Amino acid sequence: MSIWVGKQTRLLVQGITGNEGTFHALGCRDYGTQVVAGVTPGKGGQSVEGIPVFDSVATARAKTECNTSMIFVPPPFAADAIMEAVDAGIELVICITEGIPVNDMLKVQAFMEGSSSRLVGPNCPGVITPGEAKIGIMPGHIHTPGSIGVVSRSGTLTYEAVWQLSNAGLGQSTCVGIGGDPINGTDFIDVLSAFAADDDTEGVIMIGEIGGSAEEDAARWIQANYEKPVVGFIAGRTAPPGRRMGHAGAIVAGGKGGAEDKIATMRDCGLQVVESPGEMGSTMAKVLGR
Amino acid sequence: MKIHEYQAKELLRRYGVKTPRGKTTEDAAEARAIAEELGGRCVVKAQIHAGGRGKGGGVKLAASPQEAETLAGQILGMQLITPQTGAEGQTVRKLLIEEAVDIARELYLAVTLDREARQPVIMASLAGGMDIEEVAEEDPEAIIRQHFDPHLGLLPFQARAVTGGLGLEGGTARQAQKLLAALAKAFVETDASLAEINPLLITGSGDVLALDAKMNFDDNALFRHRDIADMRDLEEENPLEVRASEFGLNYIKLDGNIACMVNGAGLAMATMDIIKLYGGAPANFLDVGGSASQEAVKNAFQILVEDPSVKAVLINIFGGIARTDRIARGVVGALEELGDVTLPVVVRLEGTNVEQGRAILQEADFEFVVATDMDDAANKAVAAAGGA
């Protein structure tokens, strides 16, 4: 079992005719994901290595019954692409694009009010259920099917955690990158709720970073609602205040969003927070008694 | 992106925010002429990006044009040290000369994004001139917060709630409401991440003026604001950071002696953290990104080793989209070009094309310190830099 993506996923790739779009659409298909359609406005009727391309998401949806979208549209047009997918009723919209203006995401948020679509990202590596479906840019081969859920604001740090888990003999149920932007579609609590309802997820690795208070909110939610063990790591203990550390959302501003506060709250709420990012996998093994 | 006070005021005036009259100059004699135009009494203000300029001696009141010239001569070219510049300070290249206005009250006003509420928020307080973070710490109740919908703008009742909370009345309240609406509109339309007026001034006759102004912008939205993008002042930024940004690299200079080259922002922060955990100090944050070319990696490596405080380099790459072989080639290329690098270079490679990447390093005419995982890499880098 897993959450959100799997054998049932029928994937649409928005921006499929661009370099990145093509490369990763094929990467996902090679992994075993059903990639059924692509969309690039103005390029309907073409195909990319056998994947049919449509002018609009609505047409792609009507013709192929795609239920999930992966977005590689450049930043100035990405918010529009998200809203088009939501409007067409796509259940799960995963936006990989980095660099979308905050104001555009506020528009997306207003547009999505009352909609049943789920947005993951933007600025994220995607979602993978090992052995079933990969939707995103992560290297598929480091993953192994299993029972640990991973949720993270960072891309490569997620790969690091997955690699450590696989080395420790622990496979993954689903890994979700929620992205490094200040305004995103899915937060830690959304993912944790889904893991809570998934019988085959035994434990969770939660990787946060400086900026905002999503980690504190999640920790308090875990204390009140979540039974399974959670191992956490927060990146950015050494980050200077007031500087954006690569991710648009990774900034300690106005005395808020610092790593120490997050770690303290997570520990108070019963999470196992590791000191070293090199110990995420081994700590999970220890917690589960493996 | 940050801009100068005079640029922020220029932008805000377009939206109807009132400011004192003034002009910029880079010349002391011209400062005197401007002061004469303004009627003699004026304020000489250093234009650097860092805040706290007054505390460092970068803002001075001149009683006469003669004094304005003298003060301008002292401030221009000085290394202005403020709580935000760091110990080395920032060179003053430009001054804003403004008319001196009579001050009855000073307030604080700002618009920023509230990430948790996912809406812009106006923050106001009676403690004008003070650092809002201090106010928030000492007396959080003293800050008035008013959220607004960015697509509807600040509504009149919301503006009244703010001015009511500040105890403003009559014509002053009405002027302040107009200013609030203008500030909110400017914030949204320019894709700002911060628009701060500190202090907001109430004059003896009840007029409302922005005495200081600070604006930061969402870098991701600059593509649709060419006029604002043109306001970028590269002189205010660290030269190594400017060079790195030309190659699409995300580089931030820090105080330590272990240089880091990492792919991905999260892993880059984690690498800095683990260096610290093992008793070392990172010299920088550097995310070479997912699609870094060999050329970009080469430049990144050169920027790292140019920093004279660096005693060791730690390369930590987990190849996803970033292919480890391409990064290895970039590093080897940089070493060949530089020729005489004697710094120890610790490398940890994992992920896509890792076998090819490791082979490239092995065949290179340079003795890399190879590490098996993050802990091992951090330990070796700290030892190579002279220990904890």
Side-chain angles (χ1 to χ4, degrees):
Chain A
M1 264 269 294
S2 54
I3 65 168
W4 301 342
V5 310
K7 294 277 183 218
Q8 77 288 357
T9 298
R10 293 177 62 78
L11 186 66
L12 159 73
V13 181
Q14 287 175 261
I16 193 168
T17 54
N19 278 338
E20 298 236 325
T22 302
F23 180 80
H24 291 291
L26 299 178
C28 292
R29 189 170 70 177
D30 290 344
Y31 191 80
T33 313
Q34 295 186 68
V35 184
V36 299
V39 162
T40 299
K43 298 203 172 168
Q46 300 184 5
S47 82
V48 171
E49 305 275 331
I51 304 164
V53 179
F54 300 92
D55 279 324
S56 74
V57 179
T59 318
R61 169 96 164 161
K63 293 274 166 64
T64 67
E65 291 175 4
C66 49
N67 54 20
T68 300
S69 174
M70 171 168 81
I71 298 178
F72 282 97
V73 172
F77 319 107
D80 185 57
I82 296 171
M83 293 187 279
E84 186 186 357
V86 170
D87 187 60
I90 301 288
E91 287 88 338
L92 179 62
V93 181
I94 299 172
C95 185
I96 309 298
T97 305
E98 173 173 9
I100 304 179
V102 166
N103 270 338
D104 291 13
M105 284 311 299
L106 293 177
K107 225 177 257 180
V108 167
Q109 176 185 275
F111 187 84
M112 287 187 73
E113 221 153 273
S115 147
S116 57
S117 297
R118 164 171 303 288
L119 170 67
V120 176
N123 189 12
C124 77
V127 183
I128 182 169
T129 292
E132 290 196 33
K134 160 178 130 92
I135 298 162
I137 59 177
M138 65 289 279
H141 65 89
I142 60 170
H143 298 76
T144 45
S147 63
I148 306 300
V150 180
V151 55
S152 169
R153 276 170 69 186
S154 148
T156 43
L157 197 48
T158 313
Y159 313 160
E160 178 72 39
V162 165
W163 181 78
Q164 290 176 21
L165 283 170
S166 292
N167 282 350
L170 294 170
Q172 304 88 42
S173 53
T174 301
C175 307
V176 183
I178 60 172
D181 275 6
I183 304 289
N184 55 12
T186 290
D187 63 16
F188 284 115
I189 296 175
D190 296 325
V191 182
L192 289 162
S193 307
F195 280 140
D198 177 32
D199 289 340
D200 290 339
T201 297
E202 272 186 273
V204 173
I205 289 194
M206 171 178 151
I207 302 169
E209 62 190 30
I210 53 164
S213 63
E215 291 82 1
E216 289 94 320
D217 296 343
R220 284 187 277 268
W221 185 89
I222 288 166
Q223 189 177 34
N225 302 289
Y226 200 70
E227 306 283 326
K228 302 173 188 181
V230 180
V231 171
F233 176 73
I234 299 293
R237 266 187 152 163
T238 46
R243 299 300 307 264
R244 249 167 240 290
M245 307 303 284
H247 287 156
I251 180 167
V252 181
K256 288 196 298 192
E260 300 301 338
D261 290 348
K262 288 175 188 292
I263 292 167
T265 306
M266 288 164 77
R267 288 194 172 140
D268 282 350
C269 293
L271 279 73
Q272 288 275 331
V273 183
V274 296
E275 291 287 327
S276 158
E279 291 167 356
M280 295 184 282
S282 57
T283 304
M284 181 52 89
K286 213 178 293 166
V287 168
L288 293 176
R290 305 278 167 83
Chain B
M1 192 191 87
K2 294 179 177 177
I3 59 174
H4 288 292
E5 172 195 4
Y6 77 92
Q7 294 167 319
K9 284 180 167 169
E10 193 181 297
L11 265 177
L12 290 175
R13 274 195 299 268
R14 289 186 210 161
Y15 286 87
V17 172
K18 280 199 226 161
T19 66
R21 291 179 303 138
K23 267 188 188 163
T24 57
T25 180
E26 294 168 19
D27 175 81
E30 197 185 15
R32 178 189 189 124
I34 296 169
E36 267 160 15
E37 245 175 79
L38 294 172
R41 249 170 66 87
C42 63
V43 184
V44 180
K45 306 180 84 176
Q47 298 296 291
I48 62 167
H49 282 178
R53 291 168 296 165
K55 290 173 198 160
V59 179
K60 293 265 167 76
L61 180 71
S64 66
Q66 175 55 49
E67 196 184 354
E69 180 172 353
T70 311
L71 289 171
Q74 288 165 5
I75 297 173
L76 275 172
M78 80 185 275
Q79 281 299 109
L80 182 52
I81 299 166
T82 86
Q84 291 179 24
T85 56
E88 73 281 12
Q90 180 68 42
T91 312
V92 180
R93 295 183 171 83
K94 201 184 269 277
L95 299 173
L96 174 62
I97 315 293
E98 276 190 343
E99 62 177 333
V101 281
D102 71 312
I103 298 172
R105 287 173 72 188
E106 289 185 322
L107 308 175
Y108 175 94
L109 197 59
V111 189
T112 186
L113 175 75
D114 181 341
R115 282 168 70 159
E116 278 60 53
R118 299 175 164 235
Q119 273 195 327
V121 60
I122 290 190
M123 294 199 289
S125 104
L126 293 169
M130 259 184 85
D131 185 5
I132 191 74
E133 290 172 27
E134 280 170 42
V135 179
E137 199 151 296
E138 285 165 24
D139 189 6
E141 299 290 301
I143 300 173
I144 298 158
R145 289 188 172 78
Q146 176 67 54
H147 291 90
F148 65 95
D149 183 325
H151 311 111
L152 298 175
L154 183 74
L155 300 169
F157 80 88
Q158 294 170 328
R160 289 197 300 272
V162 176
T163 54
L166 291 170
L168 303 179
E169 290 172 338
T172 304
R174 280 191 297 278
Q175 273 197 46
Q177 287 154 18
K178 256 174 90 175
L179 182 142
L180 276 164
L183 186 67
K185 190 165 195 267
F187 175 84
V188 174
E189 286 187 4
T190 62
D191 284 288
S193 52
L194 174 73
E196 184 183 68
I197 298 179
N198 186 27
L200 177 75
L201 191 73
I202 315 283
T203 67
S205 50
D207 283 334
V208 181
L209 288 177
L211 195 60
D212 196 357
K214 177 176 168 182
M215 289 186 86
N216 298 344
F217 301 92
D218 179 357
D219 291 342
N220 290 339
L222 287 174
F223 70 87
R224 57 189 173 209
H225 301 290
R226 280 303 298 271
D227 56 333
I228 295 170
D230 287 344
M231 292 180 178
R232 183 173 173 195
D233 183 353
L234 296 177
E235 302 269 20
E236 290 286 321
E237 299 175 30
N238 180 297
L240 287 177
E241 292 181 11
V242 172
R243 240 183 75 201
S245 74
E246 283 164 15
F247 298 109
L249 301 163
N250 227 318
Y251 171 90
I252 294 173
K253 173 89 186 74
L254 302 170
D255 296 331
N257 59 11
I258 300 176
C260 324
M261 182 195 287
V262 189
N263 65 323
L267 191 62
M269 278 189 273
T271 304
M272 288 159 42
D273 295 347
I274 200 169
I275 288 171
K276 183 81 181 292
L277 187 66
Y278 287 120
N284 65 282
F285 167 92
L286 172 63
D287 171 12
V288 293
S291 47
S293 66
Q294 206 170 305
E295 189 65 19
V297 170
K298 201 177 82 184
N299 282 296
F301 191 82
Q302 285 171 343
I303 288 168
L304 293 186
V305 300
E306 253 172 51
D307 178 350
S309 50
V310 166
K311 298 275 180 282
V313 179
L314 168 52
I315 300 175
N316 183 20
I317 301 293
F318 205 114
I321 340 175
R323 289 164 27 199
T324 49
D325 55 328
R326 195 153 64 186
I327 292 185
R329 258 186 223 108
V331 171
V332 171
L335 283 166
E336 278 167 5
E337 209 159 291
L338 290 165
D340 57 349
V341 177
T342 51
L343 288 170
V345 180
V346 181
V347 188
R348 183 272 180 136
L349 290 183
E350 205 56 65
T352 310
N353 293 355
V354 66
E355 299 307 326
Q356 292 100 304
R358 286 186 185 146
I360 290 162
L361 296 184
Q362 219 145 46
E363 286 155 21
D365 189 22
F366 185 85
E367 199 75 20
F368 291 97
V369 182
V370 177
T372 52
D373 58 30
M374 268 183 94
D375 283 292
D376 186 34
N379 267 320
K380 284 177 171 158
V382 172

